[in-house]
Amino acid sequence: MTVRLVDLRGQDSRIWLEPALDVYVTAMSYPDGTQAHRAPLWREHITRPGWRAVGAIAHVTPREAAAPWAIARRLNAPVARADDEILVGIAYGYRGARDQWWNQQLRHGLRHAGAPGDYIERVAADYFELTELHVHPSAQGAGIGGHLLTRLLADRPEASVLLSTPENPAGPNRAWSLYRRMGFADVLRNFTFAGDPRPFAFLGRPLPLLSAPEPARRR
Ligand SMILES: CC(C)(COP(=O)(O)OP(=O)(O)OC[C@H]1O[C@@H](n2cnc3c(N)ncnc32)[C@H](O)[C@@H]1OP(=O)(O)O)[C@@H](O)C(=O)NCCC(=O)NCCS
């Protein structure tokens, strides 16, 4: 499978948004139908200051492109160059800001954990929020996640990048392995967002990223 990365533009979202939501729902093992609930939120995110998105596009055979599993992820021009290109990965984020729910949850969690006010201000004042990073299961483990992240974070003006990810008591999964390898450290652990009983971790690292990830591995 040949994979290339492409910057996704907000104005082309009618082409890539549905395939990207399909990658997200499959990668996260969410029930089919979650796409429709998330679509308005992802569209609203596109309008936020500093929004940026990167896609990983795979070239597949015409027969594969016509298969049911690929149809939901097929891309049209101008995002795709040909009919046999499908989306296999998506990463996006935007500049964090005080009026955002996620920022308020982070501040609340840090306060609750006893962090001093000036520390909270330093952490939560100037960062890029890595909102989504997903690679379709058929393409995971080949280094695509690291390449998406590196491209997304290149030349960002913010002082740091922050993300939240589910805690994984079973041990490091692909997401945790990737974040640790890319230098993400704990900001806050075992936080429960309002409305979601699962514990999450906030992780972060300073920007810029100085080292590139390993080249994509053969599987
Ligand atoms: C997390 C994710 C984006 C990473 O993308 P990817 O292309 O699979 O990433 P990589 O190929 O770089 O692999 C990531 C790490 O997982 C490790 N890994 C590979 N197979 C693994 C397995 N079966 N179990 C655990 N770790 C594994 C790799 O060795 C790599 O670790 P390293 O960076 O220390 O070498 C992708 O796996 C994914 O979408 N997962 C499901 C959704 C998700 O968790 N998204 C993040 C939510 S915050």
Side-chain angles (χ1 to χ4, degrees), residues 34-49:
T34 308
Q35 292 92 327
H37 295 291
R38 299 298 286 196
L41 186 66
W42 284 36
R43 278 199 199 93
E44 189 269 318
H45 286 167
I46 293 171
T47 67
R48 294 192 177 185

Side-chain angles (χ1 to χ4, degrees), residues 8-46:
L8 297 172
R9 301 185 305 173
Q11 68 218 63
D12 296 329
S13 65
R14 73 193 185 287
I15 294 165
W16 59 259
L17 189 69
E18 283 184 25
L21 285 162
D22 195 69
V23 169
Y24 156 74
V25 167
T26 315
M28 295 299 281
S29 305
Y30 287 152
D32 202 25
T34 308
Q35 292 92 327
H37 295 291
R38 299 298 286 196
L41 186 66
W42 284 36
R43 278 199 199 93
E44 189 269 318
H45 286 167
I46 293 171

Side-chain angles (χ1 to χ4, degrees), residues 27-28 133-136 139-146 163-166 172-175 177-179 181 217:
M28 295 299 281
L133 171 66
H134 306 288
V135 173
H136 192 272
Q140 288 177 10
I144 297 171
L163 63 88
S164 56
T165 192
N173 57 13
R174 286 189 168 127
S177 302
L178 175 64
Y179 296 144
R181 174 165 61 81
R217 291 178 293 275

Side-chain angles (χ1 to χ4, degrees), residues 31-206:
D32 202 25
T34 308
Q35 292 92 327
H37 295 291
R38 299 298 286 196
L41 186 66
W42 284 36
R43 278 199 199 93
E44 189 269 318
H45 286 167
I46 293 171
T47 67
R48 294 192 177 185
W51 177 90
R52 181 189 282 174
V54 180
I57 298 182
H59 189 268
V60 292
T61 65
R63 181 194 283 264
E64 285 170 332
W69 57 264
I71 285 173
R73 292 184 286 130
R74 282 224 338 229
L75 295 160
N76 292 325
V79 178
R81 291 182 192 146
D83 285 348
D84 44 9
E85 290 198 315
I86 62 170
L87 193 74
V88 293
I90 169 81
Y92 82 77
Y94 43 78
R95 182 173 171 74
R98 209 185 180 99
D99 61 354
Q100 294 165 0
W101 178 81
W102 194 87
N103 181 292
Q104 289 154 7
Q105 294 282 298
L106 171 61
R107 288 174 186 270
H108 167 75
L110 287 170
R111 259 196 317 275
H112 192 70
D118 58 339
Y119 171 78
I120 299 174
E121 203 43 51
R122 232 178 17 255
V123 169
D126 181 16
Y127 67 91
F128 177 77
E129 179 192 325
L130 173 64
T131 314
E132 305 289 352
L133 171 66
H134 306 288
V135 173
H136 192 272
S138 62
Q140 288 177 10
I144 297 171
H147 288 286
L148 281 169
L149 196 48
T150 304
R151 169 108 164 215
L152 186 70
L153 298 178
D155 304 323
R156 290 302 312 184
E158 294 85 4
S160 68
V161 49
L162 298 178
L163 63 88
S164 56
T165 192
E167 294 280 359
N168 194 44
N173 57 13
R174 286 189 168 127
W176 276 87
S177 302
L178 175 64
Y179 296 144
R180 289 305 196 208
R181 174 165 61 81
M182 304 272 302
F184 282 81
D186 293 352
V187 173
L188 181 65
R189 297 293 301 267
N190 290 301
F191 175 77
T192 44
F193 285 98
D196 189 339
R198 296 172 300 164
F200 278 74
F202 283 88
L203 305 177
R205 62 151 293 151

